């Protein structure tokens, strides 16, 4: 009788890790294809919103603009530069930006969240056809995500954290073209809000098909640049699935996907 070679039987296959990578890439490619198809189909629905009467014409005419003022006021101060120079004579600029500035901005956003949400709830309550999505778990940007943004653009204007314009964010879901325009204009005219930037991605048929607006909100401890997206209801109904497909398609590995979702 011949004895089985146990060491050969237990030896891992050389192609095992390669097969795993290929399988994830296949999933990512499928997710990319499905997302492209879904976005094209969604465009047809958005074209229908732009054709609505009343409201469609006004929505198409709503112009994008950028005031150039979307810097966080709390971080756009010469006192911060003086602090960094005193602390490390410029050597620690990166650490101050990625560690101290992001933590301070996150803390300010957390303290501002309740008055920010209360103001948006009042807006929604006063107007028909609106629904608010604003919860602290998703509306307050995590410091881990802020640090990624800062570190990706190291060496540019300092502190880079002052350019994070979505540390506090919300979505106003609108059931018609008229309610989209009306909600944006009402918030822009609300005490405590000042419009700084608007991207009309509905009229431009650009993802994520919303009125992407930044305001400076002065209703908490200190003024904060915030983000509010005014989104057609038909877009909001598919946003979770579309974003998940996008996350899968851009991740290099399964582990990378899990890390990105954990970082938020």
């Amino acid at each position: 009788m011949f004895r089985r070679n146990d060491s050969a039987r237990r030896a891992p296959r050389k192609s095992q890790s390669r097969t795993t990578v290929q399988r994830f890439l296949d999933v990512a490619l499928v997710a990319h294809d499905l997302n492209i198809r879904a976005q094209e189909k969604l465009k047809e629905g958005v074209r229908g919103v732009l054709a609505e009467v009343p409201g469609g014409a006004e929505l198409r005419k709503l112009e994008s603009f950028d005031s150039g003022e979307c810097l966080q006021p709390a971080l756009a101060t010469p006192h911060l530069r003086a602090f960094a120079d005193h602390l490390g004579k410029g050597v620690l600029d990166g650490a101050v930006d990625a560690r101290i500035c992001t933590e301070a901005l996150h803390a300010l956003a957390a303290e501002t969240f309740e008055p920010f949400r209360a103001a948006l709830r009042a807006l929604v309550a006063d107007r028909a056809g609106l629904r608010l999505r604003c919860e602290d778990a998703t509306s307050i940007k995590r410091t881990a995500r802020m640090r990624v943004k800062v570190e990706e653009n190291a060496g540019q204007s300092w502190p880079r954290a002052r350019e994070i314009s979505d540390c506090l964010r919300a979505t106003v879901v609108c059931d018609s073209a008229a309610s989209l325009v009306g909600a944006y204009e009402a918030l822009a005219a609300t005490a405590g809000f000042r419009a700084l930037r608007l991207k009309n991605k509905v009229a431009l048929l650009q993802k994520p098909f919303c009125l992407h607006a930044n305001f400076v909100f002065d209703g908490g401890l200190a003024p904060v640049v915030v983000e509010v997206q005014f989104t057609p209801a038909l877009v909001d109904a598919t946003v979770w699935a579309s974003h998940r497909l996008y996350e899968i398609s851009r991740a290099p590995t399964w582990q990378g996907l899990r890390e990105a979702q954990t970082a938020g």
Side-chain angles (χ1 to χ4, degrees):
M1 302 241 350
F2 292 99
R3 180 176 297 176
R4 178 179 293 180
N5 188 336
D6 289 336
S7 61
R9 180 172 58 87
R10 292 193 298 268
R13 291 178 296 175
K14 293 182 180 180
S15 62
Q16 184 175 1
S17 60
R18 184 178 178 184
T19 302
T20 303
V21 173
Q22 286 178 337
R23 286 178 179 175
F24 182 81
L25 288 177
D26 287 342
V27 171
L29 289 171
V30 170
H32 176 74
D33 182 61
L34 289 173
N35 194 31
I36 292 296
R37 294 184 188 183
Q39 295 300 320
E40 289 302 316
K41 186 175 181 179
L42 195 54
K43 277 185 182 180
E44 295 303 315
V46 174
R47 289 189 180 98
V49 174
L50 291 168
E52 287 180 6
V53 178
E58 291 77 8
L59 181 55
R60 293 193 300 272
K61 292 177 182 177
L62 190 60
E63 293 186 1
S64 301
F65 74 92
D66 189 341
S67 68
E69 301 177 49
C70 285
L71 298 179
Q72 291 293 346
L75 300 180
T77 168
H79 299 295
L80 187 59
R81 175 71 271 169
F83 168 73
D85 289 341
H86 176 75
L87 183 66
K89 298 181 180 179
V91 176
L92 300 179
D93 278 6
V96 171
D97 198 354
R99 299 292 172 179
I100 297 176
C101 290
T102 54
E103 288 287 355
L105 189 56
H106 179 269
L108 181 58
E111 288 294 329
T112 309
F113 171 74
E114 286 298 343
F116 172 66
R117 180 167 64 173
L120 293 176
R121 281 176 171 172
L123 171 78
V124 170
D126 288 343
R127 306 183 69 87
L130 303 181
R131 178 165 51 87
L132 177 64
R133 287 202 290 107
C134 184
E135 300 298 332
D136 55 0
T138 53
S139 292
I140 302 171
K141 195 178 189 76
R142 298 181 186 179
T143 51
R145 290 298 303 153
M146 293 188 193
R147 287 179 188 136
V148 169
K149 291 296 183 182
V150 167
E151 291 166 357
E152 283 178 349
N153 297 281
Q156 298 187 19
S157 61
W158 190 93
R160 178 66 179 173
R162 67 181 178 173
E163 298 183 16
I164 297 173
S165 59
D166 62 346
C167 66
L168 190 54
R169 54 204 175 186
T171 298
V172 178
V173 182
C174 309
D175 69 358
S176 66
S179 62
L180 275 166
V181 176
Y184 166 74
E185 292 181 341
L187 189 59
T190 298
F193 286 86
R194 181 166 64 89
L196 301 178
R197 180 167 59 198
L198 173 67
K199 298 177 184 177
N200 188 347
K201 294 187 175 182
V202 181
L204 295 173
L205 293 176
Q206 290 181 354
K207 295 185 299 183
F209 309 111
C210 67
L211 298 182
H212 187 199
N214 290 105
F215 301 84
V216 60
F217 175 63
D218 192 3
L221 290 177
V224 183
V225 175
V226 300
E227 176 186 287
V228 181
Q229 295 188 14
F230 301 87
T231 303
L234 66 90
V235 174
D236 183 72
T238 64
V239 68
W240 184 88
S242 178
H243 185 69
R244 181 54 57 89
L245 288 171
Y246 172 71
E247 285 183 329
I248 295 171
S249 67
R250 72 173 182 171
T253 62
W254 169 249
Q255 183 62 29
L257 175 63
R258 290 177 60 84
E259 290 174 354
Q261 291 174 340
T262 302

